Amino acid sequence: MTVLDFINRLLGREKPSGTMARQRLQLVLAHDRSDLNPELLDQMRREILEVVQRYVEIDIESCDVSLETEDRVTALLANLPIKRTREFPLPIGSAISSGSGSGPAALALDRGARTGTNAEQLAAAGAETSALAGPSASRVPGTTEPGDPPSGIQP
Amino acid sequence: MGKTTLTANLGIALARLGKTVAVLDADFGLRNLDLLLGLENRIIYTAQEVLATTCRLDQALVKHKQQPNLALLPAGNPRMLEWLTPEDMQTITGLLAERSDYVLIDAPAGIEQGFKNAAAAAREAIVITTPEVSAVRDADRVIGLLATMDVKPVQLVLNRVRPKMMANQEMLSVDDVTDILALPLLGLVQEDERVIVSTNRGEPLTLEDNPSPAGQAYLNIASRLCGEEIPLIDPSKKRHGLRARLINKLRKTTGLF
């Protein structure tokens, strides 16, 4: 580390490269593990929004759907601010009109969605697949927890 | 990163602890375990002849001179890869397991068929990687593959650790890697020039009575495998030099980085 690096670090101008390494790895592994390419993720994002919009009016501008990884579990996180609810769901494939007004609510598709029975369960089903596993080889939650205590090595 | 070195050193270390150990070179394409153990001139038969039953297993096994508890089953011709099946590997390891306390399989790099053959014959696995982004990413793929093959437990060894760079946060820290890969840590091996010297000579570091830092790390791994509890010390947090203290103090008071 040169003196200049050190000064930059002291002044908070530059992040240490180890931190950058961690952040970049976490991002790339989230995608590796879910085995989704960016185009598919984008398509899934559009379809999720379409379904949600049939039931509630959401603020498209501030919607955020992303993959996050923690402890070898990848989750799809969606933050969809709801403007107002619809009294009756729109028919499938109907045009979506953006309404005005706002209701302070947020719908989060997190890991809890995996146990739920709502349409968004589909979205979280990609979680917990390993980088190499195809859809058929996806790990079943709860059966292959990586945190299992190591038992003694047997010959 | 460092699979063959780990296999050679761990084999010797376990043998020194009084266990009978068989090491199997499953890296048929790029075999090197014989070279690191200094046994390259004593190979007569290989795993290939054992599988073809043209020789008995004990004829093919090469015993280590200083540690006769350790025997190597050398890799055969690279063309073995064309016909070797996971069942063949299971047959060989089954034969080795009958006569040893531990069978160590030196797996080839990558996630191709050679690796799958080796993993098919393994009950447990040790993943060794270095604290670099590309190596950690590759390790993650290997761990994912092992999980689908029902190999467990899988434990982690972090190789080529540079305490100084870690303390300066110019390298992924031990915690970063264990958090990302979510595996229990079996050992930390520091970057050590003696590793090169030992491979030059074909004498694993664990043969020495006063081993260098890396050699001691391999001995500790062997003891942990045998169930002994040896604390894992993160070398980057061990430093109490002036600069480290100064940086730590700054970090605490300012919270800047």
Side-chain angles (χ1 to χ4, degrees):
Chain A
M1 187 162 58
T2 64
V3 178
L4 191 66
D5 285 341
F6 188 66
I7 293 170
N8 276 338
R9 187 92 65 80
L10 267 185
L11 299 174
R13 283 186 205 150
E14 198 179 69
K15 266 190 225 164
S17 68
T19 314
M20 281 176 68
R22 189 186 61 225
Q23 289 166 350
R24 291 178 59 218
L25 253 178
Q26 278 169 336
L27 202 67
V28 80
L29 287 184
H31 285 273
D32 279 358
R33 287 173 184 169
S34 65
D35 221 5
L36 277 175
N37 63 37
E39 290 97 76
L40 273 178
L41 186 68
D42 200 50
Q43 191 185 334
M44 182 172 75
R45 194 194 322 256
R46 278 198 307 272
E47 282 178 26
I48 290 170
L49 292 183
E50 213 171 284
V51 171
V52 175
Q53 274 175 314
R54 282 178 48 223
Y55 294 87
V56 290
E57 276 178 30
I58 49 179
D59 186 0
I60 298 284
E61 299 301 306
S62 50
C63 280
D64 176 41
V65 180
S66 61
L67 290 172
E68 274 181 36
T69 300
E70 202 177 296
D71 282 346
R72 292 200 71 75
V73 179
T74 301
L76 181 80
L77 295 175
N79 195 345
L80 315 173
I82 297 173
K83 283 182 179 168
R84 72 168 78 123
T85 53
R86 295 188 201 279
E87 215 162 309
F88 303 102
L90 298 175
I92 295 166
S94 64
I96 282 131
S97 59
S98 58
S100 59
S102 65
L107 175 70
L109 295 182
D110 61 7
R111 275 173 229 168
R114 245 184 285 151
T115 51
T117 52
N118 45 8
E120 288 79 47
Q121 189 176 357
L122 176 83
E128 288 217 2
T129 58
S130 67
L132 282 152
S136 60
S138 64
R139 279 183 253 163
V140 183
T143 54
T144 51
E145 282 304 312
D148 284 347
S151 67
I153 300 274
Q154 279 133 27
Chain B
M1 298 289 284
K3 295 175 291 298
T4 309
T5 313
L6 175 70
T7 313
N9 279 287
L10 199 53
I12 296 281
L14 286 169
R16 286 188 67 169
L17 290 170
K19 312 284 180 190
T20 50
V21 186
V23 287
L24 167 61
D25 193 349
D27 196 348
F28 298 103
L30 303 163
R31 57 184 228 184
N32 270 320
L33 190 56
D34 50 347
L35 205 54
L36 293 201
L37 284 165
L39 299 174
E40 71 275 15
N41 292 327
R42 295 172 48 205
I43 295 171
I44 303 164
Y45 298 110
T46 66
Q48 191 171 0
E49 285 82 30
V50 176
L51 267 177
T53 59
T54 51
C55 81
R56 292 191 315 274
L57 177 64
D58 54 338
Q59 287 176 302
L61 284 175
V62 188
K63 273 195 181 160
H64 197 271
K65 264 190 195 144
Q66 285 145 284
Q67 292 296 333
N69 277 346
L70 175 82
L72 163 77
L73 183 58
N77 191 302
R79 262 172 293 163
M80 267 181 93
L81 280 173
E82 291 163 18
W83 53 265
L84 195 84
T85 64
E87 288 74 29
D88 291 331
M89 282 298 289
Q90 284 162 350
T91 311
I92 300 181
T93 41
L95 288 171
L96 290 170
E98 278 171 25
R99 45 175 296 149
S100 333
D101 294 331
Y102 289 89
V103 179
L104 305 178
I105 306 170
D106 183 23
I111 47 172
E112 316 302 325
Q113 194 54 44
F115 171 79
K116 287 178 185 165
N117 287 344
R123 201 176 290 176
E124 307 185 8
I126 299 174
V127 173
I128 180 162
T129 187
T130 60
E132 289 156 68
V133 279
S134 50
V136 174
R137 187 189 194 182
D138 293 351
D140 189 74
R141 307 201 83 193
V142 167
I143 294 162
L145 192 60
L146 287 172
T148 65
M149 299 179 80
D150 209 26
V151 180
K152 63 181 177 178
V154 181
Q155 299 181 82
L156 182 72
V157 171
L158 201 52
N159 197 16
R160 307 192 69 168
V161 168
R162 293 163 179 256
K164 218 171 158 184
M165 286 190 78
M166 277 189 183
N168 287 338
Q169 292 183 298
E170 292 292 357
M171 197 174 215
L172 286 168
S173 73
V174 175
D175 292 340
D176 286 344
V177 180
T178 50
D179 284 352
I180 288 171
L181 297 179
L183 287 186
L185 193 61
L186 181 64
L188 290 170
V189 184
Q190 284 193 37
E191 176 89 30
D192 185 350
E193 289 178 359
R194 299 289 303 166
V195 173
I196 297 171
V197 178
S198 88
T199 52
N200 290 346
R201 295 206 175 115
E203 294 166 1
L205 288 171
T206 42
L207 276 174
E208 296 169 20
D209 285 324
N210 289 311
S212 64
Q216 187 57 50
Y218 290 124
L219 286 173
N220 288 347
I221 292 169
S223 302
R224 285 186 198 110
L225 280 180
C226 293
E228 216 176 302
E229 288 212 3
I230 297 173
L232 270 158
I233 296 158
D234 187 342
S236 62
K237 291 177 183 160
K238 216 172 63 181
R239 285 175 76 244
H240 298 292
L242 182 63
R243 191 167 62 173
R245 272 208 309 240
L246 196 68
I247 293 175
N248 275 334
K249 190 145 203 184
L250 273 170
R251 202 175 286 151
K252 269 182 211 151
T253 49
T254 61
L256 268 178
F257 53 94

